[in-house]
Amino acid sequence: MGDDIDAPHLLKIEIQSNWTILDILKHILKLNYLPQIYGGKATWSVAINEPIAVLSQDNSENPMLICLPDYPYHETLGFVNIEHIHINYHAQKKPTEVYEVLSKFRVK
């Protein structure tokens, strides 16, 4: 349960208009916002209206994108005005399994 007792854990960040989703995710990862789990096998999914990526503690440098790599770059096709990014913890599920399930809900 750890820090879940005082959830939700809000973090406000400023997103530059030229950032891609990879830029945003790497920025969040640099902030060490996600907790380090004993064993190093934690998996999270990231959603902005729909699932867009899977993050894993053991491969934090390489998010598994469900969306297009340039999503939501300002003024590009499919641009989304980001107000909230939601991160879900999937315990120690394999990132590939979480990706396989969530990719069925791919942003169109």
Side-chain angles (χ1 to χ4, degrees):
M1 185 161 113
D3 64 348
D4 291 341
I5 197 156
D6 61 350
H9 303 283
L10 300 176
L11 173 68
K12 187 173 184 174
I13 62 171
E14 189 171 324
I15 296 172
Q16 303 302 314
S17 63
N18 64 337
W19 284 7
T20 65
I21 194 57
L22 278 175
D23 295 327
I24 295 167
L25 294 174
K26 287 180 179 183
H27 180 74
I28 292 170
L29 290 167
K30 277 196 288 188
L31 296 173
N32 291 318
Y33 175 70
L34 300 174
Q36 298 298 303
I37 307 301
Y38 179 76
K41 301 287 185 187
T43 300
W44 298 273
S45 62
V46 181
I48 301 173
N49 300 324
E50 297 93 6
I52 60 163
V54 175
L55 306 175
S56 64
Q57 184 177 349
D58 63 344
N59 191 11
S60 62
E61 297 293 318
N62 298 304
M64 299 172 72
L65 291 182
I66 297 168
C67 63
L68 296 172
D70 59 354
Y71 172 92
Y73 189 84
H74 189 66
E75 295 182 9
T76 59
L77 183 64
F79 172 74
V80 174
N81 187 19
I82 298 173
E83 292 184 22
H84 296 90
I85 297 173
H86 188 80
I87 301 174
N88 293 300
Y89 175 52
H90 296 276
Q92 299 197 21
K93 292 275 188 199
K94 292 180 181 178
T96 53
E97 292 175 358
V98 175
Y99 178 86
E100 186 177 319
V101 171
L102 294 180
S103 65
K104 294 176 182 171
F105 301 99
R106 183 180 312 259
V107 178
K108 294 183 173 50

